[in-house]
Amino acid sequence: MTIRILPAIGDPDAARAVSSLLNQLPDAEPAPTVADSAALLDALAGAAAQGAAASPAAGPPSAVEALPEVVLVHERIGPTPALELIREVALRFPAVGVVLITTDAGPALFSAAMDAGARGVVGLPLGYDELAARVQAAAQWSAGVRVHLGAGPETAPGPAGTLVTVTGAKGGVGTTVTAVQLALAARAAGRSVALLDLDLQSGDVASYLDVQFRRSVVDLAGIADISVRVLQDAVHDHHTGLGLLLAPEEGERGEEVDDRAARQIIGALRSRYEVVLVDCGSQMQSANAAAVELADVALLVTTPDVVAVRAAKRQVRLWDRLQIRQAEDTTTVVNRLTRNTEIQPPLVAKATGTQVARTHVPAAFKELQPCVDAGRMQDLDGRSTVRQALWALAGELGLVESPAVRQGRGSHRARPTLTGRKRKAITPGAAPGSGPGQGPASGSASGAGLGIRFGARRGSAAAAGGSGPFDPAGPYEEG
């Protein structure tokens, strides 16, 4: 979003310095500098009147929308003193964020400026990072005020990116592969995407995407205000178009990223990218716990085996005890599913109390192995059933406009035999090959501690459900 900035600076040298820095700010639209307080007030009043005249029916919201988001006031502005001018702007135009530029940025002046209604103070001589941080903060505040005044959410330049976290029930269930493919799918749909690795001790996003980059998320942990330039220095621009913020190579340094730092880093990413994918690993720490709490969509990846489902259940209970997230607000993704698996998605949903994604990911490691070994997950063949399933999952989650895969690929219902005749679908509840006089399978097995009984024997399609490129009831050759 564009941030409109109106500088009010009487000193010509300071005006040139400010204009030079403002022209370097991304998404900034600086207006010509005004030289005194009267010209500033006249410019704001004229913009408000012009906005109201352009849409008379809309009334005050249109007038507010026409105002600049940020006003910069130099301490030597005249004839009205700077603090009095700030107070008058705050009273007459409450949706405008005012930033004071001064040589004395001490506590006394800072307190006086805040009392007058300023949203920030920048010290002289000006620095790019400090100016960018104050302008961004004032613009975000202004955007929030305008939403409450009815100026419309389209004027808000603040954090608006969709945050999706991917957490593993335990190690080795496919968390990083899921996060990487979801990010690639969203990027292929034309959206700006950041992939944040918060598996701080053993993150492998860099290994899966063949990246060697000296910056990591730890470099942002000790920074109070993450400016645009600082964020750009820490994010690796991958050739696929993804912005990668990686885990540290030294796992012990992950302790430097606490929940406060994680919230600040995620907020900075959401203000710059439309989609932010976070690989949280399988071990809960304060940083990835904060990410799960903030997430618009929280995914929990598990495999259809007793050990992994038990681990998923423990993870969900942990989140509930720590008041991070409730089970009903969590979406479980079943990875490496085959039609012969006794634990089918409905059973996973019942055991964990979570929603289960309609799209399930098939077990086909032979398709993944060459890309995993080469560290180039972005080169996974588009015909891969794993990639098709994960890109369909991205469509289900709303990360892309529509699924980038053909639904039903591999299903025997949509594929004729060599003779040209379509195969007969297996009736739910009936064992394959059952004919007249053979009823549904009636055997049952214990849930090995899950507390649920299986109503169909191993290999039954009764519990298979969901949509996507993998059909558990269809013919399948396991990798």
Side-chain angles (χ1 to χ4, degrees):
M1 290 282 183
T2 302
I3 302 175
R4 294 166 295 178
I5 306 170
L6 177 58
I9 303 172
D11 184 358
D13 293 334
R16 284 192 293 269
V18 170
S19 297
S20 176
L21 288 176
L22 291 179
N23 288 328
Q24 299 177 38
L25 295 180
D27 301 328
E29 186 181 289
T33 303
V34 294
D36 55 58
S37 58
L40 172 62
L41 295 175
D42 289 344
L44 293 174
Q50 186 176 2
S55 302
S62 294
V64 172
E65 187 177 355
L67 292 169
E69 284 79 20
V70 180
V71 167
L72 302 178
V73 175
H74 191 264
E75 62 179 354
R76 296 182 181 177
I77 196 72
T80 305
L83 293 180
E84 292 185 17
L85 178 61
I86 291 173
R87 185 175 290 107
E88 186 170 357
V89 171
L91 289 174
R92 292 179 57 182
F93 310 100
V96 175
V98 184
V99 176
L100 174 64
I101 301 176
T102 177
T103 55
D104 178 19
L109 181 61
F110 182 85
S111 178
M114 295 300 106
D115 291 340
R119 303 310 308 173
V121 176
V122 180
L124 290 170
L126 290 175
Y128 175 89
D129 291 340
E130 185 181 9
L131 180 62
R134 297 294 173 263
V135 167
Q136 195 100 8
Q140 292 180 7
W141 175 87
S142 174
V145 172
R146 295 177 189 217
V147 170
H148 288 292
L149 293 177
E154 64 275 5
T155 63
T162 302
L163 177 62
V164 180
T165 58
V166 185
T167 307
K170 66 181 191 67
V173 296
T175 307
T176 302
V177 171
T178 301
V180 169
Q181 288 297 326
L182 290 178
L184 291 172
R187 182 67 191 122
R191 309 185 72 177
S192 59
V193 182
L195 179 56
L196 169 61
D197 194 348
L198 279 185
D199 188 0
L200 296 173
Q201 291 187 350
S202 54
D204 279 326
V205 167
S207 299
Y208 276 90
L209 291 174
D210 191 23
V211 172
Q212 293 183 351
F213 192 59
R214 60 187 180 88
R215 299 286 188 181
S216 73
V217 64
V218 174
D219 295 311
L220 300 178
I223 299 177
D225 285 321
I226 301 176
S227 66
V228 176
R229 176 168 292 182
V230 169
L231 184 65
Q232 289 175 341
D233 289 341
V235 173
H236 173 71
D237 293 325
H238 197 252
H239 66 82
T240 58
L242 299 179
L244 305 180
L245 188 52
L246 305 172
E249 290 187 4
E250 303 85 5
E252 66 274 12
R253 296 195 63 196
E255 298 179 357
E256 301 176 28
V257 184
D258 56 11
D259 58 336
R260 181 203 61 81
R263 293 175 187 275
Q264 191 172 10
I265 291 168
I266 290 172
L269 289 173
R270 296 183 72 181
S271 68
R272 301 296 301 165
Y273 295 90
E274 296 176 86
V275 177
V276 179
L277 265 295
V278 183
D279 180 358
C280 293
S282 58
Q283 298 296 323
M284 277 292 102
Q285 299 170 339
S286 59
N288 48 24
V292 173
E293 183 181 2
L294 294 172
D296 299 307
V297 179
L299 299 180
L300 182 60
V301 181
T302 185
T303 49
D305 57 83
V306 171
V307 175
V309 175
R310 281 179 176 172
K313 190 175 182 179
R314 285 197 305 269
Q315 192 76 274
V316 170
R317 287 179 174 179
L318 173 65
W319 290 352
D320 184 63
R321 288 195 306 272
L322 299 179
Q323 298 182 353
I324 297 173
R325 201 171 195 89
Q326 296 181 346
E328 54 267 26
D329 295 330
T330 303
T331 301
T332 299
V333 178
V334 181
N335 189 23
R336 301 174 193 156
L337 183 67
T338 71
R339 68 171 184 173
N340 295 322
T341 304
E342 285 184 343
I343 300 179
Q344 291 289 326
L347 181 58
V348 175
K350 189 172 183 180
T352 61
T354 63
Q355 306 175 33
V356 174
R358 295 189 304 272
T359 305
H360 316 309
V361 185
F365 185 70
K366 286 183 179 179
E367 300 174 358
L368 293 174
Q369 188 169 7
C371 295
V372 171
D373 292 342
R376 298 184 61 83
M377 189 55 60
Q378 67 272 18
D379 294 339
L380 185 61
D381 196 330
R383 296 171 295 179
S384 164
T385 57
V386 174
R387 171 175 155 161
Q388 289 182 2
L390 289 172
W391 285 41
L393 176 63
E396 180 181 335
L397 299 176
L399 302 182
V400 298
E401 293 295 333
S402 60
V405 297
R406 294 171 293 175
Q407 297 293 326
R409 189 181 189 275
S411 171
H412 69 272
R413 295 186 180 91
R415 186 176 62 202
T417 64
L418 294 177
T419 61
R421 294 180 299 174
K422 290 186 178 180
R423 301 180 182 181
K424 182 179 179 181
I426 299 175
T427 304
S434 61
Q438 294 180 326
S442 58
S444 63
S446 68
L450 294 176
I452 301 171
R453 298 179 63 85
F454 301 102
R457 74 174 186 180
R458 186 177 181 91
S460 170
S467 61
F470 172 63
D471 184 356
Y476 178 74
E477 180 180 353
E478 184 176 357

